[in-house]
Amino acid sequence: MTSLPAGGFAAPKGIPEYVGPDFVAVRDTLVREADRAGYAHLELPVFEDTALYARGVGESTDVVSKEMYSFADRGGRSVTLRPEGTAGVVRSVIEHGMDRGTLPVKLRYAGPFFRYERPQAGRYRQLQQVGVEAIGVDDPALDAEVLAVADAGFRALGLTGYRLELTSLGDAETRPAYRAELQRFLEKCDLDDATRERARINPLRVLDDKRPEVREQLADAPLMVDHLSDAAAAHHAKVTQYLDQLGVAYTENPRMVRGLDYYTKTTFEFVHDGLGSQSGIGGGGRYDGLMAELGGQSLSGVGFGIGVDRTLLACRAEGLEVAPARRVEVFGVGLGEAAKDHLVGLVGQLRRAGIRSDLAYGGRGLKGAMKAADRSGARYALVLGDRDLEAGTIQLKDLRDGSQTEVALPDAAAAVDRALHG
Ligand code: HAM
């Protein structure tokens, strides 16, 4: 715990803050892969009607029953800070009639989401996602596309220590029968009251129990993949065929349990081994019933949400440099008032020419100013003293090897450009 000055503030608990280029570089790399596959940007509201999430995500999920930031607004409406993006995207598609145009509707989004979870490394109350949704067509090639876009994002960052786990949760035709069979199996197990209750409300979730004494009893539990309808099995076979074709590696995990209720057929998670217990760097799947559940046509959709926070942690765990450390390329050091005045204009000129530049502010001495130049990551310093100014020259100093070249003041911008770009 850091102590605060009296009367000081701290950010709310469980909210990471990012300074510098790394976070943006990770987010934008993931977004770029979605753009390459033709997903259009959708800027979603940060809060929505509470009922949208209750109905869309599922009342029995932890996300809805325990983790939502819900409050009454000044008009007395119950609103909730978005815990995830899929329900909002589907709401927007229905509301604006996007599903009446060409299908599928392909959208992507990025930004903060909010879940009142117990904060720990990689688990935050304000989490950042990049997501895509492809809505309106039930085509296994789209499932594969969504998976390939996520995979390409991770690869573009240079990540190698992750794997894609995949399963099928079946469809409305056979899931009820499977659910009943699993419930019958669980009734015969020796479970505590809370787990029995979970088995009654959402038996699939019991399969995710991590306790050894429960795991042991579940070794022979019936699995959804063995109860797929012919259509769901054919869909799954096609998805894996396309993934092979696209060179996206995966492992089947028939015991996967997701925290949201809307999934049908293809369901997946990207898992990174360098992150400890919060190892899911992304997840998603197909949702056959969600659009109708939210009052729209009966159309299917498929998408993913990638956790940007965890993806950045994964990059750090693999020692990847995701963004250049260089904040600026050139740093101006003016010694004396007149020199500083001149540099203010020169730095402005450099910036207009597209060269990232900064200068020493606050009338520091040469030593302090050179330290600031080093810290900025700049490749060159432009050092201007009173004597230079009288002579109409400026010193262009290479901060890597310390060498210095004198250039005529009117040529300074051109000299910097030549030095940087050859
Ligand atoms: P989700 O699995 O709940 O899915 O979240 C997606 C990703 O967000 C996770 O894999 C994880 O990387 C990140 N994440 C979730 N909670 C936290 C947290 N508390 N702290 C840090 N990172 C977190 C969804 O949200 C679905 N809407 C994905 C989707 C899109 N399914 C279909 N379309």
Side-chain angles (χ1 to χ4, degrees), residues 57-58 60-64 205 257-263 269:
V57 177
S60 76
T61 61
D62 281 357
V63 169
V64 169
R205 200 139 309 141
V257 176
R258 301 269 299 134
L260 314 164
D261 271 356
Y262 45 63
Y263 294 113
E269 259 169 2

Side-chain angles (χ1 to χ4, degrees), residues 84 86 115 117 122 124 129 133 258 262-263 280-282 303 305:
E84 62 98 50
T86 311
R115 297 181 188 180
E117 298 201 69
Y124 307 120
Q129 282 187 11
E133 312 293 345
R258 301 269 299 134
Y262 45 63
Y263 294 113
I281 53 174

Side-chain angles (χ1 to χ4, degrees), residues 52-397:
L52 171 70
Y53 301 116
R55 188 123 56 92
V57 177
E59 304 260 19
S60 76
T61 61
D62 281 357
V63 169
V64 169
S65 64
K66 299 185 195 156
E67 297 171 0
M68 293 210 296
Y69 280 89
S70 301
F71 57 97
D73 72 5
R74 287 175 186 273
R77 300 167 200 91
S78 177
V79 293
T80 294
L81 299 184
R82 58 184 188 188
E84 62 98 50
T86 311
V89 172
V90 171
R91 191 267 311 137
S92 183
V93 166
I94 299 169
E95 181 175 345
H96 302 295
M98 289 183 239
D99 54 321
R100 315 241 165 248
T102 314
L103 298 177
V105 182
K106 294 181 22 172
L107 299 166
R108 54 98 166 153
Y109 51 92
F113 295 86
F114 305 87
R115 297 181 188 180
Y116 194 80
E117 298 201 69
R118 200 144 39 83
Q120 63 179 85
R123 186 161 75 192
Y124 307 120
R125 289 183 174 169
Q126 177 175 306
L127 57 121
Q128 300 274 349
Q129 282 187 11
V130 166
V132 306
E133 312 293 345
I135 293 170
V137 178
D138 187 3
D139 182 340
L142 261 183
D143 306 39
E145 173 180 285
V146 159
L147 285 161
V149 166
D151 187 62
F154 295 136
R155 275 205 228 181
L157 288 164
L159 287 169
T160 53
Y162 68 93
R163 63 179 181 279
L164 164 59
E165 296 190 352
L166 186 70
T167 195
S168 173
L169 289 182
D171 54 26
E173 199 188 308
T174 51
R175 195 144 70 170
Y178 165 69
R179 202 183 126 106
E181 185 177 334
L182 180 60
Q183 261 164 343
R184 278 195 298 279
F185 174 88
L186 293 172
E187 272 162 25
K188 282 185 262 150
C189 296
D190 178 19
L191 301 169
D192 58 83
D193 288 349
T195 312
R196 278 194 182 287
E197 180 62 7
R198 202 169 326 134
R200 200 179 57 75
I201 299 168
N202 192 340
L204 262 82
R205 200 139 309 141
V206 180
L207 291 179
D208 195 33
D209 204 306
K210 303 279 188 292
R211 292 171 296 180
E213 67 276 18
V214 179
R215 292 207 94 134
E216 215 172 282
Q217 298 188 66
L218 296 178
D220 298 327
L223 296 173
M224 186 68 233
V225 282
D226 300 321
H227 293 74
L228 297 180
S229 66
D230 290 346
H235 187 99
H236 193 64
K238 266 297 202 190
V239 172
T240 54
Q241 177 204 312
Y242 288 129
L243 289 177
D244 291 340
Q245 208 173 318
L246 290 165
V248 177
Y250 59 89
T251 50
E252 301 266 4
N253 175 3
R255 287 171 177 267
M256 185 188 306
V257 176
R258 301 269 299 134
L260 314 164
D261 271 356
Y262 45 63
Y263 294 113
T264 54
K265 300 199 192 97
T266 308
T267 309
F268 59 85
E269 259 169 2
F270 286 89
V271 180
H272 194 280
D273 289 325
L275 297 184
S277 61
Q278 304 306 309
S279 58
I281 53 174
R286 185 164 277 286
Y287 39 89
D288 282 345
L290 181 59
M291 189 142 162
E293 183 67 38
L294 296 179
Q297 307 184 63
S298 181
L299 290 174
S300 183
V302 59
F304 68 64
I306 297 179
V308 182
D309 311 89
R310 289 188 195 168
T311 304
L312 176 55
L313 289 173
C315 290
R316 289 185 183 149
E318 290 196 26
L320 297 171
E321 193 186 302
V322 289
R326 254 171 231 294
R327 189 165 59 78
V328 292
E329 297 161 291
V330 184
F331 199 91
V333 174
L335 305 169
E337 188 70 15
K340 189 250 187 100
D341 290 354
H342 194 90
L343 274 175
V344 168
L346 180 53
V347 163
Q349 191 187 341
L350 290 171
R351 289 177 184 164
R352 282 193 296 280
I355 297 171
R356 286 181 293 130
S357 344
D358 200 358
L359 78 156
Y361 289 105
R364 291 182 245 208
L366 179 62
K367 215 169 137 204
M370 289 312 293
K371 203 187 249 178
D374 276 332
R375 286 209 180 128
S376 74
R379 173 76 202 279
Y380 293 99
L382 279 169
V383 186
L384 186 62
D386 284 341
R387 234 177 300 144
D388 293 308
L389 208 49
E390 267 167 41
T393 57
I394 190 165
Q395 309 299 322
L396 180 62
K397 184 169 179 163

